Amino acid sequence: NTAPRIQSDFKPKNEDLIEGQKRKQRRRERRLKRIIAVLVGYLVMGWMIYLIMVTARSIPKIWDPYDILGLSRSADEKSIRSHWRRLTLKYHPDKAKVDPALNETSETINDRYVELSKAYKALTDEDVRNNYIQYGHPDGKQSFSIGIALPKFIVTDGNGKYVLLVYGLLLGVLLPYIVGKWWYGTQRVTKEKVLIASAGNLFKEYADDISEGGIIGALSSGEEYREVLRGDKADTGSGKVENRVLADGEIGLTAAGLTLEDKGIIESLDGGVRRKVLALLWAYLGRVDLDNATLNDEKFEVAPIALALNEAFIAISLAFGNVSPILSSFRTSQNLIQALPPKSSPLLQLPYITSASARAIEGENAKTHLSVQEFMRIPEDRRRKLAIGPGLLSESQYRTAVAVAKQLPVLNVEKAFFKVTGERFITPGSLVQLVVKARIIPPGTINVPEVNELDLEDIDPDEDDLEAILGRKPAKNKKAKSIDDGKSASPSDEKPIQPPLAFAPYFARDHSPRWHVFLADSKVGKMAVPPFPFTTFDKPLFDEQGNPTFNMQTLKMQFGAPPQAGQYTFVMHLICDSYVGVDTKIEVTLGVEEMTKAMEMQDEDEISEPEEDSLAGQVNALKTGGLTGPPPKRKARKQVQEESSEEESDTEGEEEDASETDTDTDSDEE
């Protein structure tokens, strides 16, 4: 993976098992069998090229009587006859002698003399000469054959039945097997790359009021786990895992953070693969050491499978459209990547912080958890007193935890508004864009620069810039102006910027964070606009020294406007799938104007008095008092904010299109 990484020297317990799982996955992704097949194919091609290079080429030789006789083409008939007599004395079969040193035989001497005779007649005999001129040979038209170059063993007598057998195996057995395997492989999985049977099980487990713990239980129903727990692995150590998971915890009800409801789900399952998988998942989320290398290895192996199954569960939740299960499924992704039980402290994402130390930092009587951002906003002296001490963190551990916190890519929303490309107003049924302006501000960052108001504007792309119109990339004509020097700079043509890989030391995969933006109707608890995922940014997040750039990032999603005019208030959710406690929830208002009203307002804005130095202005001056008379009294007009020529199509500055309200973390629910 080419994405940058968060720098840290933290090594979790059982790091060797986690790295072993990563290596195992990399071997799977390499597809060794396919690589070997490709290499064999290249070797065969190289061997064929070698044979082509070393094989002697048979080039058909043009029959030339002058060349055969050793004469120049300017020779006359007298010279030809004189030369022929000399050749006869030398090469006639009765006079030529066999030379063993040259491997000559009487047959070769005869053949050579016949060839010389034909050449001589082609130059002296009229009939033979006509054949040579017309057909290129003294004997007239020559026969020729066309063949296909095949290996000798294919055309050798007696090998025909074996050739047919090979063709039968290739066309009748191997080809149908490959096509069938490909077809069956595509039909047995969903677009989320999970088995159809697993998706069916997840669908049965769905409920409108399902909790995050309930989703963990649902994810244990996947058929993919049977590949991991083959044979007696399904029962080996299952009791030990359950005892460890359900043991009394230092803070919570159990060591793994299960609620009574979650505990009941485990106890309600029959023994087998699913029950052990569910226990392993809770052991992973609770970071419970199982005191067994095999069980710990299985614990780290089932977590990535659960994350893949959760993608399918998210798709199912989106199909139903209820906000609560959607949010719970997204938070389950965060919990799986960070190895955290549901509703646990976000501080556990930082190195060396345990449930006990997190409770001590938050306070014994705290009713809510501290987010990483809130923890880093505590003054340094007080934060050190809370985190460092006996049973808490050491000085070096504290520095490591703070260093990681300062590298987390927390997306801070600065502005969110609606617009229609190329229009000043949003009308019923139009294609609306939700534009989100945000900056990456890691927790604990100091001296954060003020927002440049110009960065909060969104310039319409050129008409031919289809990719920008669809929101897939920044507009080509976009200009960013600096507050300091006022210079303009063209947008970067570089590749999209990848955020750092998620800091997830317990997750046995390299995961690139994804942000999801969707709109919800808080009145009915339903999703209004499905999530749009964002995985890259258009501007650098950090400089070469690792410091945040505070560049304003633009996220866009498109949807159809409501069919009726009015004011529509939505709740916008911006969720990161990799970190707990960094989500954003704000209200945004979409103002939809009647078509006739929007046209009237647009016409009113476009009407203006003619310029005095133009012909229309002079005519207007004559009508209202002449060129020497007093200037006509103009009607009062609305004050319009002056904009640059590049920003004439900007439409987001209207009050009804923009709304910034209170920003909540992911702990707030509708």
Side-chain angles (χ1 to χ4, degrees):
N1 199 316
T2 59
R5 296 177 182 270
I6 291 178
Q7 301 301 316
S8 174
D9 57 358
F10 173 69
K11 304 295 182 185
K13 190 176 182 179
N14 298 316
E15 182 198 12
D16 56 334
L17 299 178
I18 298 173
E19 291 300 322
Q21 286 295 329
K22 290 183 178 181
R23 290 192 297 270
K24 185 178 179 181
Q25 178 63 20
R26 284 194 289 267
R27 287 195 297 268
R28 290 174 182 170
E29 293 175 351
R30 290 192 191 107
R31 298 182 178 180
L32 187 58
K33 294 181 180 179
R34 182 175 298 182
I35 293 175
I36 293 175
V38 171
L39 290 177
V40 171
Y42 277 118
L43 288 175
V44 172
M45 291 179 61
W47 178 64
M48 295 176 64
I49 293 173
Y50 169 76
L51 291 179
I52 293 174
M53 294 177 64
V54 301
T55 302
R57 300 181 181 180
S58 57
I59 302 175
K61 188 177 181 180
I62 299 176
W63 195 86
D64 186 0
Y66 291 98
D67 184 56
I68 295 173
L69 294 174
L71 293 170
S72 64
R73 294 187 174 275
S74 60
D76 55 11
E77 185 174 352
K78 182 178 179 181
S79 300
I80 294 173
R81 293 183 182 277
S82 175
H83 185 70
W84 166 248
R85 284 194 293 271
R86 289 195 297 270
L87 292 176
T88 302
L89 296 175
K90 182 177 179 181
Y91 294 111
H92 193 279
D94 294 338
K95 298 180 179 181
K97 295 181 179 181
V98 177
D99 188 356
L102 300 176
N103 294 325
E104 289 184 342
T105 62
S106 58
E107 287 80 7
T108 58
I109 292 176
N110 288 330
D111 293 340
R112 182 172 55 192
Y113 186 75
V114 170
E115 190 73 9
L116 292 172
S117 300
K118 290 181 179 179
Y120 173 69
K121 291 182 178 180
L123 298 178
T124 56
D125 187 274
E126 185 176 353
D127 295 334
V128 177
R129 184 178 183 84
N130 290 335
N131 286 337
Y132 167 67
I133 294 174
Q134 186 174 0
Y135 302 108
H137 199 276
D139 295 335
K141 189 175 182 180
Q142 301 294 299
S143 62
F144 66 94
S145 61
I146 300 175
I148 301 176
L150 293 174
K152 290 183 179 180
F153 68 87
I154 293 181
V155 296
T156 302
D157 294 339
N159 290 346
K161 55 184 179 181
Y162 301 110
V163 173
L164 292 177
L165 178 62
V166 171
Y167 275 114
L169 291 175
L170 290 176
L171 300 179
V173 178
L174 184 60
L175 183 61
Y177 170 76
I178 294 175
V179 174
K181 184 178 181 181
W182 168 79
W183 176 255
Y184 179 70
T186 57
Q187 295 300 310
R188 66 194 294 261
V189 297
T190 66
K191 65 178 182 179
E192 289 81 22
K193 304 301 180 182
V194 302
L195 296 175
I196 294 291
S198 299
N201 295 338
L202 294 174
F203 181 81
K204 296 175 183 177
E205 297 287 336
Y206 174 84
D208 291 341
D209 58 348
I210 192 169
S211 63
E212 295 172 38
I215 294 177
I216 297 298
L219 298 181
S220 65
S221 64
E223 297 294 327
E224 286 83 352
Y225 300 111
R226 298 186 182 277
E227 184 70 19
V228 177
L229 303 178
R230 292 180 180 178
D232 59 352
K233 287 185 177 181
D235 298 315
T236 302
S238 180
K240 182 177 182 178
V241 177
E242 289 187 27
N243 291 335
R244 292 283 180 145
V245 167
L246 300 178
D248 294 337
E250 297 179 6
I251 298 176
L253 178 65
T254 62
L258 285 79
T259 63
L260 287 175
E261 181 183 357
D262 301 330
K263 184 178 179 181
I265 294 176
I266 292 182
E267 294 174 345
S268 66
L269 296 175
D270 297 331
V273 173
R274 182 174 181 181
R275 181 159 181 164
K276 183 177 180 180
V277 166
L278 184 53
L280 288 171
L281 285 175
W282 281 111
Y284 167 77
L285 293 173
R287 303 179 185 177
V288 177
D289 187 17
L290 302 177
D291 287 337
N292 183 286
T294 302
L295 294 177
N296 281 325
D297 192 52
E298 292 173 351
K299 173 184 71 176
F300 294 119
E301 189 171 5
V302 297
I305 299 175
L307 182 63
L309 290 169
N310 191 57
E311 293 294 324
F313 192 85
I314 292 175
I316 294 172
S317 301
L318 293 175
F320 283 95
N322 296 303
V323 175
S324 180
I326 294 174
L327 293 177
S328 296
S329 56
F330 278 125
R331 290 168 185 154
T332 300
S333 293
Q334 299 170 353
N335 294 331
L336 288 169
I337 292 172
Q338 292 297 330
L340 298 181
K343 311 297 183 184
S344 59
S345 174
L347 297 182
L348 295 175
Q349 300 173 105
L350 301 180
Y352 301 112
I353 294 183
T354 62
S355 298
S357 57
R359 172 61 65 88
I361 294 172
E362 294 169 347
E364 294 293 335
N365 299 322
K367 296 182 179 180
T368 59
H369 293 300
L370 280 178
S371 67
V372 177
Q373 303 93 294
E374 293 169 338
F375 173 67
M376 295 300 293
R377 281 197 290 266
I378 298 175
E380 173 68 18
D381 293 340
R382 183 166 176 265
R383 188 170 68 229
R384 294 175 66 88
K385 291 180 180 179
L386 291 173
I388 300 176
L392 300 176
L393 304 183
S394 65
E395 181 67 30
S396 61
Q397 290 174 343
Y398 171 78
R399 288 198 300 268
T400 301
V402 170
V404 170
K406 290 183 177 180
Q407 299 179 70
L408 298 182
V410 177
L411 197 60
N412 186 59
V413 176
E414 303 292 349
K415 186 179 180 182
F417 56 91
F418 297 98
K419 62 173 288 189
V420 175
T421 302
E423 301 293 339
R424 292 202 57 191
F425 304 98
I426 300 175
T427 55
S430 58
L431 188 60
V432 181
Q433 282 187 344
L434 170 61
V435 182
V436 178
K437 296 287 185 174
R439 298 188 294 175
I440 293 290
I441 304 179
T445 304
I446 59 175
N447 300 325
V448 179
E450 295 293 331
V451 175
N452 183 352
E453 293 299 325
L454 294 176
D455 289 337
L456 297 179
E457 300 175 356
D458 187 66
I459 309 302
D460 287 339
D462 296 332
E463 295 181 358
D464 58 347
D465 193 358
L466 182 60
E467 294 292 322
I469 293 176
L470 297 177
R472 297 174 182 171
K473 66 178 184 179
K476 295 178 180 178
N477 62 346
K478 187 176 180 181
K479 299 288 184 77
K481 293 188 176 181
S482 171
I483 296 178
D484 298 332
D485 53 16
K487 295 180 181 179
S488 62
S490 300
S492 174
D493 294 331
E494 298 178 357
K495 295 181 179 180
I497 305 301
Q498 290 182 301
L501 294 176
F503 179 76
Y506 298 94
F507 190 65
R509 296 288 187 276
D510 288 335
H511 183 80
S512 183
R514 290 181 295 176
W515 284 263
H516 301 267
V517 179
F518 72 95
L519 299 179
D521 187 344
S522 59
K523 296 180 181 178
V524 296
K526 288 284 188 177
M527 176 184 65
V529 179
F532 278 62
F534 299 92
T535 58
T536 58
F537 298 94
D538 55 346
K539 298 177 183 178
L541 308 180
F542 299 91
D543 58 20
E544 296 179 355
Q545 288 74 33
N547 300 317
T549 59
F550 305 109
N551 285 326
M552 190 66 68
Q553 310 293 341
T554 303
L555 310 179
K556 293 183 180 181
M557 58 183 291
Q558 289 186 331
F559 60 96
Q564 302 295 332
Q567 298 291 318
Y568 298 86
T569 300
F570 300 103
V571 176
M572 187 197 79
H573 293 273
L574 175 61
I575 300 177
C576 178
D577 72 339
S578 302
Y579 297 104
V580 178
V582 300
D583 302 333
T584 300
K585 173 185 173 184
I586 64 174
E587 284 189 351
V588 288
T589 301
L590 171 62
V592 181
E593 301 289 348
E594 292 284 359
M595 182 68 73
T596 54
K597 182 179 179 181
M599 294 178 64
E600 291 175 358
M601 296 174 66
Q602 186 172 0
D603 291 341
E604 180 181 348
D605 290 340
E606 290 177 354
I607 296 176
S608 61
E609 295 289 344
E611 297 294 336
E612 293 182 1
D613 57 351
S614 65
L615 179 61
Q618 295 178 12
V619 173
N620 183 63
L622 290 173
K623 291 181 178 179
T624 56
L627 291 173
T628 59
K633 192 172 183 180
R634 298 191 179 189
K635 296 182 180 180
R637 300 182 61 209
K638 290 183 179 180
Q639 183 69 24
V640 181
Q641 183 179 359
E642 186 176 0
E643 299 178 350
S644 63
S645 60
E646 293 90 356
E647 299 165 347
E648 288 178 358
S649 60
D650 187 18
T651 63
E652 80 281 10
E654 301 170 47
E655 293 85 349
E656 66 270 22
D657 290 346
S659 175
E660 301 93 8
T661 59
D662 295 336
T663 301
D664 304 325
T665 63
D666 69 334
S667 60
D668 299 327
E669 296 183 4
E670 295 187 343

